Amino acid sequence: MRILGIESSCDETGIAIYDDEQGLLAHQLYSQVKVHADYGGVVPELASRDHVRKTIPLIEGAFAQAGCGPEDLDGIAYTAGPGLVGALLVGTSIGRSLAFGWGIPAVAVHHMEGHLLAPMLEDDKPDFPFVALLVSGGHTMMVKVSGIGEYEVLGESVDDAAGEAFDKTAKLLGLDYPGGPMLAKMATQGQAGRFTFPKPMTDRPGLDFSFSGLKTAAANTIRNEGDDEQTKADIAHAFQTAVVETLAIKCKRALKETGIKSLVIAGGVSANTELRQKLERMMLGMKGRVYYPRTEFCTDNGAMIAYAGMQRLKAGQHAPLDMKTKPRWPLDSLEKV
């Protein structure tokens, strides 16, 4: 069985072709970073327009890369939510229309389920059940995953997502968009211990997250202390350390509460080297394993949508002909496979 995946929830246009026997056959990705850089963040209308321009050419490129055509497909998967409504409408309308025109079923995929299952694209994949930390610019949540569609949200951010806090703090440090990776790079030049920031909501029970207070603490320090490059690097180091330690504390708490020994981290922030090293050390001490997708599949991509769509297509799930998007779509409302 072979499926085309379309991802267009925010500022990346991702296209992939996945075969359930041969694996990933094609992977095409266009990032809109340069489009939005002058604005310091994603402009929804510009994102939608760029998806319109790029989606069909990328689909054609994926067919060429895979050496196949529409006649070889058994279905099309597209991201239906959550995300920017205009951007979602582009992928949804193209995916649903092509599926209708080619006479094959379509599958509406939850963006965060795609991230959850992205490690399954690797040879070394986790077994169910596992605890997943989904950490990106738009989401921070802890999920118990018992199977595909069997998701229990254990905790989530009550304000800023971790990736959002990274980007906003980076902007305060004078770094260009997208700031998260640039802040992480700056942090490698920072001196440990000069500044210490709070680890929010770790002094109380529960698995929810909050990063707005940490962002404010960093903003105040930047305003009062951040005049030279070394000081900025020291602040970046302290900020990243606080985020990483907060996430690690919550992960350890979730694993102990559930009794599960496998941890998955996914989403854009899961590419952060410091976070990966911290969680690997933690899991080694807990005699468990941590899994994550390769770096190119941490951020938004079509491969994860194709894989998630394949699982639901094989279970007989199809999207109706009407083109519905769900900018807000609870993960734990998904149907079990």
Side-chain angles (χ1 to χ4, degrees):
M1 186 175 285
R2 190 169 293 180
I3 193 167
L4 173 74
I6 302 173
E7 157 59 26
S8 69
S9 64
C10 191
D11 60 341
E12 270 103 17
T13 310
I15 305 296
I17 297 174
Y18 184 85
D19 187 285
D20 65 344
E21 294 183 357
Q22 300 177 54
L24 188 63
L25 302 180
H27 168 52
Q28 302 274 317
L29 183 69
Y30 173 76
S31 175
Q32 300 177 5
V33 166
K34 292 181 179 179
V35 175
H36 303 288
D38 290 342
Y39 304 94
V42 177
V43 181
E45 179 61 26
L46 295 181
S48 302
R49 292 178 184 178
D50 231 30
H51 288 307
V52 170
R53 285 192 289 264
K54 298 297 182 181
T55 302
I56 295 299
L58 287 173
I59 290 174
E60 292 172 344
F63 280 136
Q65 183 182 355
C68 67
E71 66 279 2
D72 300 304
L73 295 179
D74 297 288
I76 296 178
Y78 57 85
T79 303
L84 302 175
V85 63
L88 291 168
L89 279 168
V90 176
T92 296
S93 59
I94 291 175
R96 194 64 197 83
S97 298
L98 289 178
F100 178 77
W102 292 339
I104 55 178
V107 184
V109 174
H110 191 292
H111 180 73
M112 299 312 292
E113 179 171 62
H115 277 304
L116 266 179
L117 300 179
M120 301 298 186
L121 292 163
E122 308 302 329
D123 293 332
D124 184 20
K125 50 179 69 74
D127 294 322
F128 298 113
F130 57 81
V131 169
L133 171 66
L134 295 177
V135 57
S136 67
H139 301 84
T140 304
M141 61 174 64
M142 196 78 68
V143 185
K144 178 183 176 183
V145 181
S146 300
I148 297 175
E150 298 180 72
Y151 308 130
E152 179 185 354
V153 177
L154 303 174
E156 57 190 331
S157 180
V158 298
D159 42 55
D160 289 356
E164 183 182 5
F166 260 100
D167 287 341
K168 289 180 177 178
T169 302
K171 188 174 182 178
L172 293 170
L173 287 167
L175 301 175
D176 292 334
Y177 173 84
M182 298 184 72
L183 186 151
K185 183 178 180 180
M186 176 182 276
T188 62
Q189 306 301 316
Q191 176 183 339
R194 181 178 175 188
F195 299 105
T196 302
F197 291 137
K199 297 185 280 290
M201 297 184 73
T202 57
D203 59 347
R204 68 194 75 175
L207 293 168
D208 285 336
F209 302 90
S210 170
F211 292 104
S212 64
L214 173 58
K215 180 192 65 183
T216 300
N220 290 336
T221 305
I222 293 166
R223 184 173 60 251
N224 296 328
E225 306 282 350
D227 291 332
D228 60 89
E229 291 305 308
Q230 185 57 53
T231 296
K232 289 181 179 180
D234 295 342
I235 293 171
H237 186 283
F239 175 83
Q240 178 175 255
T241 298
V243 173
V244 167
E245 290 184 354
T246 297
L247 294 174
I249 289 169
K250 296 287 185 171
C251 286
K252 188 172 186 178
R253 187 177 295 176
L255 291 164
K256 286 187 174 181
E257 288 184 6
T258 60
I260 294 172
K261 294 292 187 180
S262 294
L263 174 68
V264 161
I265 56 170
V269 182
S270 70
N272 183 280
T273 301
E274 190 66 26
L275 177 61
R276 289 191 177 205
Q277 292 176 349
K278 177 75 173 181
L279 293 178
E280 284 175 355
R281 291 193 299 268
M282 183 189 81
M283 294 306 293
L284 187 63
M286 296 181 71
K287 295 181 173 55
R289 285 283 310 277
V290 59
Y291 300 85
Y292 35 74
R294 71 195 80 165
T295 304
E296 63 186 312
F297 295 151
C298 290
T299 53
D300 295 348
N301 64 87
M304 67 182 192
I305 302 304
Y307 181 86
M310 173 67 77
Q311 309 315 308
R312 293 195 170 275
L313 182 63
K314 290 169 72 173
Q317 297 182 19
H318 302 163
L321 281 174
D322 57 333
M323 300 176 188
K324 290 184 178 179
T325 60
K326 300 180 180 180
R328 297 183 181 277
W329 189 2
L331 181 64
D332 53 8
S333 69
L334 295 182
E335 184 177 347
K336 176 182 175 181
V337 170

